[in-house]
Amino acid sequence: MKSNVKVSKHVLSWKLVKNPDYWNKKSVKLAEIGYQVVKEPNTAYNLYQTGKLDLISLVGTQAKELAKNKDVVHRPLAATEYMQYNQRKGTFKNRNLRLAFSYAINRKQLVNQVMQNGSTVSKGFVPAKFANNPKTGEDFAKEAYVSGTVNYNLKKAKAYYAKALKQLNKSKLTVTILAADDDQTKNVTEFIQSQLQKLPDVKVNVDSIPFTIMLKRAQDGNFEINYTGWSADFADPISFLSMFTSDNSENNGKWSSSAFDSDIENSNTRDANNAKARWNDLISAEKTLAKDQGITSLFQSNGIDLVNPKLKGVIYDRINGHYDYRNAYLVK
C-alpha cells in the first residue's frame, strides 16, 4: 500500500491505494481512496457540494440544518464522551469536587443545543443498547444506572462544591480543560466551561490543541481535566470498563478503586465462565465508577453523515465506528 500525505492550514489529506498483493483483490472495486481531515464543518460541506468529497460527517448546527437532506445517513455509535480528572494531584482526588462538576453540567442542553446530531445523555460509561443481561435481556446501561450521577442539579452542584472547597482549604478554584482543537470539540468544551463557571469562584480555561498532541499530554499526565471519548473494540462492557483498573495504561487520570479492580478481576477470572456472575461483576464495577465519579460521563455519540448517493457498498460498524470500504464502489 502506498500513501501520499499533504498538510495545509485546514486540511490533512492522504490516499490509500489498492494493494495488488491482497488475497481477495478481485472484490476490491476502488483503485484508491482519498481522505481529508477538515476541522471546519463549513469547509467540509463546501467540498461535498462541489463534488470534491463523497462522504462527510455533520456536527452542531450544521447537523440540525441538514437533518432532512436526502443524502443524510445516521450512524449510531457505541461511544461515550467524558471528562477524566488527573488524580495524581490533590485537587481532583476530592470526590465532592468531582460530583459538583458532574451535577453542574446540563447534559440535555449539551446534546440538544450543541451536538444536535442525535447524541444522547449518558446513563453511565457503558453506552445504551450495547450489551444485554444474558438472563433477563435488560440493557446494561439501564441496569447499571446510578440515580443522580449524570443529572443536572445546580443547587446540589453548589453544595458539593462548597464541601470540596472546605476540604481542600481553598476559597476559589482555577482549572484547565485539555481537549482537541476541532470545531465540534471546541463547541463542547466551551459549553462545559460555561456550565462549570456557574459555580461560585470557579474559573475554567480550555487548552485546545491538535488531537495527537492532546493524547500524548493525557498519557503523560500533563492535564487537570481531559475531555475525551472512547468507543468499543467489541460488544462487551469490559471493552469500556477495563480501562479504569488501577494499572491500565488508558487510565490517564489514575483513578483507583480496590472494589472496582476486584470486580473486573473476578469478571476475567473466577466468573469468566459464569455468565450471570460475570454480568453482576461488571454491573457492580460500573456502579462503583459512577458513584465515585472516577470519570464524568457526558453523552453517547451519534453521527450524521452526508453520503454521495452514488457511493455504494460502504459497511459501517456501530460498535467501533469503523468504515469498511473493501466492497465499496461509485456508480457512474
Side-chain angles (χ1 to χ4, degrees):
M1 178 176 289
K2 297 179 180 179
S3 64
N4 297 309
V5 181
K6 295 181 179 180
V7 180
S8 69
K9 181 179 179 181
H10 300 292
V11 180
L12 174 67
S13 64
W14 65 93
K15 290 182 179 180
L16 300 182
V17 180
K18 182 176 179 178
N19 185 351
D21 298 319
Y22 178 53
W23 71 273
N24 196 21
K25 63 183 178 183
K26 290 182 179 179
S27 70
V28 180
K29 299 176 177 65
L30 295 176
E32 66 179 38
I33 300 173
Y35 278 87
Q36 292 190 29
V37 177
V38 185
K39 293 181 180 180
E40 297 176 357
N42 289 335
T43 302
Y45 183 53
N46 290 336
L47 291 170
Y48 180 83
Q49 286 183 305
T50 57
K52 294 179 180 179
L53 291 177
D54 294 300
L55 187 156
I56 66 169
S57 295
L58 303 177
V59 297
T61 56
Q62 188 186 66
K64 183 177 181 180
E65 291 168 358
L66 297 172
K68 295 183 178 180
N69 188 292
K70 61 181 178 60
D71 294 349
V72 158
V73 177
H74 291 269
R75 310 285 197 191
L77 177 62
T80 301
E81 302 292 303
Y82 63 97
M83 298 191 308
Q84 61 179 334
Y85 306 97
N86 190 344
Q87 297 188 40
R88 296 171 176 83
K89 302 175 182 178
T91 300
F92 285 105
K93 286 184 177 181
N94 189 287
R95 176 176 177 267
N96 286 325
L97 181 60
R98 301 194 301 269
L99 283 167
F101 279 18
S102 183
Y103 274 119
I105 299 171
N106 190 325
R107 293 162 175 80
K108 288 184 179 180
Q109 284 188 2
L110 175 56
V111 298
N112 293 331
Q113 298 179 18
V114 180
M115 296 304 296
Q116 301 187 83
N117 65 351
S119 294
T120 56
V121 173
S122 292
K123 287 183 176 296
F125 187 46
V126 176
K129 299 179 181 179
F130 175 67
N132 299 95
N133 187 310
K135 296 293 184 181
T136 67
E138 181 76 288
D139 182 77
F140 184 93
K142 184 177 180 180
E143 192 171 330
Y145 169 66
V146 179
S147 179
T149 56
V150 291
N151 301 84
Y152 173 66
N153 188 320
L154 188 57
K155 183 177 180 180
K156 282 190 175 182
K158 289 179 177 178
Y160 277 110
Y161 180 66
K163 289 181 183 178
L165 285 185
K166 186 175 182 180
Q167 291 168 343
L168 294 168
N169 195 28
K170 294 178 180 289
S171 59
K172 59 183 179 180
L173 201 61
T174 299
V175 299
T176 299
I177 299 173
L178 175 68
D181 64 351
D182 60 278
D183 279 10
Q184 177 175 300
T185 298
K186 285 181 179 179
N187 290 339
V188 172
T189 51
E190 286 172 5
F191 176 84
I192 294 171
Q193 179 185 42
S194 68
Q195 294 282 285
L196 296 182
Q197 289 186 155
K198 290 180 181 179
L199 296 171
D201 299 312
V202 175
K203 181 180 180 181
V204 179
N205 301 311
V206 177
D207 191 0
S208 298
I209 58 178
F211 180 74
T212 54
I213 300 175
M214 182 273 287
L215 283 181
K216 182 64 167 58
R217 279 187 50 184
Q219 290 167 357
D220 291 343
N222 185 14
F223 69 95
E224 291 181 291
I225 301 174
N226 178 212
Y227 169 72
T228 187
W230 185 258
S231 60
D233 296 314
F234 50 92
D236 190 285
I238 198 69
S239 182
F240 282 85
L241 296 173
S242 61
M243 289 177 58
F244 292 106
T245 54
S246 299
D247 59 354
N248 193 291
S249 60
E250 297 289 345
N251 184 2
N252 296 323
K254 300 305 178 187
W255 173 75
S256 181
S257 162
S258 58
F260 183 91
D261 289 347
S262 178
D263 282 332
I264 298 301
E265 174 68 17
N266 289 339
S267 76
N268 288 329
T269 55
R270 185 192 69 188
D271 300 327
N273 294 319
N274 184 327
K276 182 179 179 181
R278 180 177 182 273
W279 180 267
N280 290 335
D281 292 335
L282 298 176
I283 290 289
S284 177
E286 171 74 275
K287 287 184 175 182
T288 296
L289 182 64
K291 290 175 183 176
D292 200 55
Q293 281 300 293
I295 59 167
T296 291
S297 299
L298 297 171
F299 63 91
Q300 182 175 339
S301 300
N302 185 73
I304 298 180
D305 290 346
L306 278 187
V307 183
N308 181 348
K310 293 183 178 181
L311 178 60
K312 308 291 185 181
V314 178
I315 298 173
Y316 175 77
D317 188 336
R318 70 167 296 272
I319 298 300
N320 55 35
H322 293 168
Y323 294 77
D324 187 337
Y325 293 98
R326 282 178 293 181
N327 298 312
Y329 61 97
L330 279 167
V331 177
K332 295 183 180 179

